[in-house]
Amino acid sequence: MSVMPAVSGVSGVSGARGGVPGVSGASPGLSGASTVSGVSGVSGVSGVSGVSGASEASDEVGEVGDMPAPLAARARLFPALVAVYRAQLSRARVARIPLLFVATFQSIGIMILMRGVVDGGSEARAVVAGSSVLVVAFVALNLLAQYFGQLRASGGLDHYATLPVPPSAVVLGAAAAYASFTVPGTAVTAVMGSALFQLPMTNLWILIAVIPLSGAALAGLGAALGLLAPRQELATLCGQLGMSAALLLGVLPAARMPQVVSYARDLLPSTYGVEALARSFDGQPDWWVVCADLGVCAGVAVVSLAAATWAYRRAAVR
Amino acid sequence: MVCTVRGLVKTYPAARGRRGAPATPAVRASDGIDLDVVRGEVFGLLGPNGAGKSTLVRQLTGLLRPDEGHVRVLGHDLVRHPERAARLLGYLGQDSTALDELTVALAAETTARLRGLETRAARAERDAVIEELGLGEVAGRPLKKLSGGQRRLACVAAALVGERPLLVLDEPTSGMDPVARRAVWAAVDRRRAERGVTVVLVTHNVIEAETVLDRVAVLDRGRVIACDTPAGLKALVADEVRLELVWRTEPPLDVPEVAALWKTVETARAGGGAAGRRWTLRLPPDDARAAIATVTGGPAFAALDDFTLATPSLEDVYIALGGRAEGAEGLVKA
Ligand SMILES: Nc1ncnc2c1ncn2[C@@H]1O[C@H](COP(=O)(O)OP(=O)(O)OP(=O)(O)O)[C@@H](O)[C@H]1O
Ligand SMILES: [Mg+2]
């Protein structure tokens, strides 16, 4: 049906059956075109519609010199980061809680399985540490890669690209939100694991450093994968593969791995978080080595977040 | 001059066919576009689906890099400095998903913060725009859980927070009911009146286009085929009127006068055999008068269900300018 402003003469009622059809003069308030009905006054074509203030450029002389208009202020990095973080955390609360449960149960399940394989000692420490960091990998790497892949595919990046925010604020805000969202799951896993394998819990406070550092490293990797993948499905796939790598290389005892695989293990950002956590289960941990591990983790985090920011820029400006 | 476009060309490259997906040819979505938008006007882009409207506004907002041509917005070259667009204009994309999981209030507030506002100013703007657009009742609900029109309205709210001298809105009122649409137009108009804000918007709604727009550019296949005030465009076809005839069943083509009219019919739709039951004719006023006399008197009258006579609308202009016939349907999406 046409959406013409004209109101039809006898629409529906069909005046043609009754008598002379088509007598109407009412044109709806919105329309500019007036309806002429019946047979009279057809020539009274009126075209009065809201024309205003659109005269040609003559009154714009003041601007013809083309003085560039002042640019509005940029959003500063930290407030923008906080705004993104808050927004992400609120959406995470709604959408991600079930997934956090999945991640936690997965890690706990792995520990229960491994209890039949490893017999305490350093291997048990590695299993508990690996399972705890696996929760971080699940959320920060896998889910964040999915999020950015989907954001990019659905054109959601346009929204941020037309706001004056530093790219790093968007990437860091999202990464921080996902990383902090892993805290409860990681803590629960670490405590359960310690109980399961009778490991000392005195040094679990190290999680305060392990979660943000490995979270940042993995979130940066996840964001970069999500933003660089040419298609959304590939982003999801990369996230899943990254998580599988974290699972296999983090949880399985390193001593039993072939040489090549242990190189891959050294390349994975989460490895150093796992090592630091595993060492802290010792009675007298060598704090220098723990700090060195965490330092590597921090370095990797900086690199991977920088890569993610670069990937974001590349994805946003096509 | 707020916005100047010269010789804009954008071609989407051809895609090679993958398994299951056929190859698509290259599309010249902007084909030498020139436009001038002056301060304080509401400038409309009208055209059928796939005409290149979104492609054009994405180049105006620095999101898409043109292959050729210049885009100047408020004195800034946006082809060379696309990142400046974010500090000059507010943009509403045709489908905005970035805010989907936020509540309406948080979406507006976050967007305001990201436009560089301080927390308190952002909250004040958030409350003002929610009030202005009548979103109070749904302010606490996530966008994903809203109806299509409500969600669109929330996205408009996010586009309006934070003062910008230019607003670029891609189909801002699609899917909205009349009350919501009126709220959007009132909000746009208020910004224009109070702060001299300039608005460039894409619309499919011809009626709206006639009432709120100062000037309209009609796009077809990446070209501007007309650009004028709505009244000026209608003047192009003002010496003709549009006559619609609806027959009850078969048009009485055995009546010679009706058979003669059939030859001038522009579009015929809705069943009724080869001739169609619903005829649209574009005629000089005298001919229209004669045609009505023919169909309302004599043997044709028995077959007539309804008729309408109207002055030309933008839709008629569009068709008269040679837009694609099937495009004319797309033009009227409301
Ligand atoms: N990303 C893309 N890759 C390839 N071709 C594209 C892409 N986006 C748009 N096109 C093509 O470019 C042309 C113009 O598209 P555009 O989105 O600008 O149309 P539009 O006027 O906004 O249409 P609508 O009214 O449906 O929103 C269309 O033929 C479309 O198929
Ligand atoms: Mg479009």
Side-chain angles (χ1 to χ4, degrees), chain B residues 12 27 29 47-56 94 171 204:
Chain B
Y12 291 111
V27 178
N49 293 134
K53 304 179 296 295
S54 298
T55 305
L56 173 58
Q94 184 168 7
E171 299 195 28
H204 281 287

Side-chain angles (χ1 to χ4, degrees), chain A residues 88-168:
Chain A
Q88 288 288 343
L89 211 60
S90 89
R91 71 181 279 284
R93 259 204 302 267
V94 189
R96 302 283 174 254
I97 285 183
L99 289 169
L100 185 65
F101 272 107
V102 171
T104 311
F105 285 137
Q106 169 185 283
S107 285
I108 292 174
I110 288 170
M111 290 191 301
I112 292 173
L113 275 178
M114 293 300 283
R115 207 158 63 131
V117 182
V118 301
D119 45 355
S122 73
E123 292 192 342
R125 290 173 210 156
V127 169
V128 174
S131 303
S132 305
V133 175
L134 182 61
V135 179
V136 182
F138 186 90
V139 176
L141 199 160
N142 181 22
L143 296 186
L144 196 59
Q146 280 184 34
Y147 170 71
F148 272 115
Q150 179 238 327
L151 193 67
R152 194 174 100 120
S154 67
L157 284 180
D158 285 3
H159 178 74
Y160 291 109
T162 49
L163 297 172
V165 275
S168 47

Side-chain angles (χ1 to χ4, degrees), chain A residues 128 132 186-187 189-192 194 199-210 277 280-281 287:
Chain A
V128 174
S132 305
T186 313
T189 309
V191 170
M192 292 270 293
S194 305
L199 297 173
M201 295 191 207
T202 40
N203 290 330
L204 275 188
W205 55 264
I206 195 80
L207 284 176
I208 294 170
V210 170
L277 184 56
S280 71
F281 286 124
W287 290 113

Side-chain angles (χ1 to χ4, degrees), chain A residues 3-4 17 30 69 91 158, chain B residues 58 76 101 211 242 248:
Chain A
V3 192
M4 294 284 175
R17 267 164 232 153
L30 272 175
R91 71 181 279 284
D158 285 3
Chain B
R58 285 169 55 80
H76 296 272
E101 274 160 335
T211 53
R242 185 168 44 84
R248 288 194 199 172

